[in-house]
Amino acid sequence: MNGNSEWRGSAELDALLDAARKKLESNWLRVGGNITVDLSDAQELWRLCSAISRSNSSLHSRARSTRLDLERFDAWLSHPLNGGLGLIDTLTRQAPLQDKKRIAADKAQVRADALDRAREVLGGGTDREWIEHWIASLLNQDGTLGGRVAVDALEVATKVLAMLPVDGMELTKLADQACGDTKALSAGGAPKLVLDALSLRENVPRPVDPVGIRALWETAGVSVDAVSSRVLVLGYRVDETHTVAGWLNEAADEGIPFPVTVNMLMRGTLTNTSSTVFVCENAAVLSTAARILGSNCASLICTDGQPSAAVHRLLASRAPGTTIRWRADFDWAGVHMVKRALSRYDAVPWRMDVDSYRHALDARNSEPLKGHPTDSPWDPELAGALRDSGRAVMEDRLVPDLLTDLRLGSGD
């Protein structure tokens, strides 16, 4: 093979080197294969390609393109008259080569590792089917992590979800404890990922308005606003003597429903004196109990929908050995709620059985069943009856029976 110093620094050689750089950077920096050369880019390219290929018969000035073997190009460049450096060294001297295949593979591995960590960290425990739905929502059809999901955001979301639920913890404190950064959940992709997971957990669309976002955080016991987050109580007497405790005891003695905020709960513990605490979902139940039973009502907590951060914080200070009797609407959201209460607080279902459901079921006062179905481990027939009827029954249909329980429990 003969070298020819006339091509060194020429536009024609630069054109071949540019094409070779693109080929190598997209091919693991492997010197192999061919590049297609557009002979119309420079009039002398056909002659240079002929010199490299050591062939004068295969190319002529009218040819529009040709294919150049990179191994032969590498050997040609290695000749002392052509620079004495192979293709890799020649290109590196001009500018560092980027192994784009390796970079892409490394990024893919980082994303795969982040996904594996999320599965490992969040895969255990009970009542975790929503986590699987959430992870599935992050994936491409081939099972890889979707491009819209940032690895850093996924890692933050994973750490946060692993800590949930909490007992009325402030959002900034949660971010600090999970990630060492109080602002980790203030903006960006991480809070959106967490809210996506919680919306699947609660089987509701992810909210975009501040009120909805706050309410969704509160379902996991996270307090975004320590003043707005509240729990309604009736007859909830406590051992303590601080200001808020005094308000609660006075309200219980007067039979007055009392709203307790997270801010109030942050001022001191509130330990119930009753050995049994009842929990309902609808404010109509508590309101009726206040009107009919007044100060003779047992300790009653109303979640007023999904349990808020205030609910969880209040129950976190419950007296040891307290029996929590929990109920909700006869719908899928209510069954999910009671399942989580049984798991988290070792609660006892309160008239959440199939007989109570059938007794309350009335097509004129029921509504179509909505939401994500689930089982009812404490009474398997209940979930079956819900599926069979396809009807939801709100708990205010059971008020007479509930008042009986609350009156009987008032002497506790």
Side-chain angles (χ1 to χ4, degrees):
M1 177 192 70
N2 295 322
N4 192 335
S5 60
E6 70 172 289
W7 298 109
R8 295 177 63 181
S10 67
E12 291 79 11
L13 182 58
D14 286 344
L16 295 184
L17 289 172
D18 287 345
R21 177 182 292 275
K22 293 178 181 178
K23 176 71 174 181
L24 265 62
E25 288 186 338
S26 64
N27 193 34
W28 306 95
L29 302 185
R30 183 176 65 86
V31 178
N34 302 297
I35 57 172
T36 299
V37 182
D38 185 352
L39 298 179
S40 64
D41 287 347
Q43 293 182 355
E44 293 296 306
L45 266 178
W46 70 272
R47 196 162 63 86
L48 175 55
C49 289
S50 293
I52 295 172
S53 301
R54 291 180 291 173
S55 172
N56 292 322
S57 60
S58 61
L59 296 172
H60 53 81
S61 59
R62 293 183 180 180
R64 293 184 178 181
S65 64
T66 187
R67 296 171 71 84
L68 181 64
D69 183 274
L70 287 184
E71 291 185 4
R72 187 158 290 183
F73 190 20
D74 180 60
W76 184 86
L77 287 168
S78 298
H79 192 281
L81 290 178
N82 301 322
L85 295 174
L87 184 56
I88 295 290
D89 291 336
T90 299
L91 292 170
T92 302
R93 177 168 288 189
Q94 292 179 341
L97 284 163
Q98 295 187 53
D99 189 346
K100 294 181 179 179
K101 285 281 190 178
R102 174 54 58 195
I103 292 171
D106 290 344
K107 288 182 178 178
Q109 187 60 53
V110 168
R111 297 177 70 77
D113 290 344
L115 188 59
D116 288 343
R117 282 194 297 274
R119 285 194 171 104
E120 181 181 356
V121 171
L122 302 175
T126 59
D127 192 26
R128 287 298 206 183
E129 66 268 21
W130 57 276
I131 286 291
E132 291 304 317
H133 291 306
W134 175 66
I135 289 178
S137 73
L138 308 179
L139 306 181
N140 294 317
Q141 289 185 346
D142 61 1
T144 57
L145 186 63
R148 70 189 185 283
V149 182
V151 169
D152 290 346
L154 177 60
E155 291 182 343
V156 169
T158 298
K159 292 176 182 178
V160 170
L161 288 169
M163 289 189 61
L164 300 180
V166 291
D167 296 318
M169 183 182 293
E170 294 175 285
L171 185 64
T172 53
K173 186 176 181 181
L174 172 65
D176 187 35
Q177 289 197 6
C179 312
D181 180 2
T182 58
K183 297 182 179 180
L185 295 171
S186 61
K192 292 180 181 178
L193 288 175
V194 177
L195 289 171
D196 282 340
L198 294 180
S199 67
L200 287 169
R201 177 180 183 264
E202 301 301 326
N203 195 36
V204 296
R206 182 167 70 82
V208 295
D209 61 289
V211 174
I213 290 172
R214 182 179 66 231
L216 189 54
W217 275 115
E218 289 195 355
T219 63
V222 182
S223 173
V224 178
D225 181 346
V227 176
S228 297
S229 179
R230 66 171 194 164
V231 52
L232 290 171
V233 300
L234 176 65
Y236 202 89
R237 295 175 175 84
V238 295
D239 280 328
E240 289 77 15
T241 59
H242 54 74
T243 300
V244 176
W247 293 343
L248 273 177
N249 288 331
E250 288 179 14
D253 290 342
E254 296 293 330
I256 299 173
F258 193 83
V260 185
T261 66
V262 168
N263 180 271
M264 292 178 183
L265 291 163
M266 293 168 63
R267 297 173 182 271
T269 58
L270 296 170
T271 310
N272 53 288
T273 59
S274 173
S275 62
T276 301
V277 172
F278 294 83
V279 180
C280 66
E281 179 179 354
N282 292 297
V285 175
L286 182 140
S287 176
T288 304
R291 178 169 52 84
I292 295 178
L293 301 180
S295 60
N296 292 320
C297 182
S299 291
L300 177 63
I301 291 174
C302 175
T303 64
D304 196 17
Q306 291 294 326
S308 66
V311 170
H312 294 301
R313 186 147 188 157
L314 178 61
L315 288 176
S317 64
R318 67 192 182 279
T322 299
T323 298
I324 301 176
R325 300 187 64 185
W326 200 302
R327 69 155 296 101
D329 290 329
F330 282 119
D331 57 12
W332 292 128
V335 176
H336 277 288
M337 190 192 306
V338 173
K339 278 181 65 175
R340 286 193 290 272
L342 267 60
S343 174
R344 183 170 183 177
Y345 297 113
D346 197 24
V348 177
W350 176 25
R351 292 191 184 268
M352 282 295 290
D353 56 274
V354 67
D355 289 339
S356 296
Y357 170 66
R358 287 171 175 159
H359 175 71
L361 185 61
D362 184 335
R364 294 170 299 174
N365 294 286
S366 64
E367 58 188 60
L369 191 61
K370 302 175 183 177
H372 180 64
T374 187
D375 60 344
S376 49
W378 65 91
D379 186 351
E381 290 187 37
L382 173 60
L386 283 165
R387 288 191 181 90
D388 291 343
S389 72
R391 308 296 296 181
V393 178
M394 302 300 101
E395 68 177 352
D396 52 7
R397 292 279 297 154
L398 286 79
V399 163
D401 293 333
L402 302 183
L403 292 183
T404 297
D405 296 339
L406 292 171
R407 181 182 292 108
L408 291 174
S410 62
D412 178 72

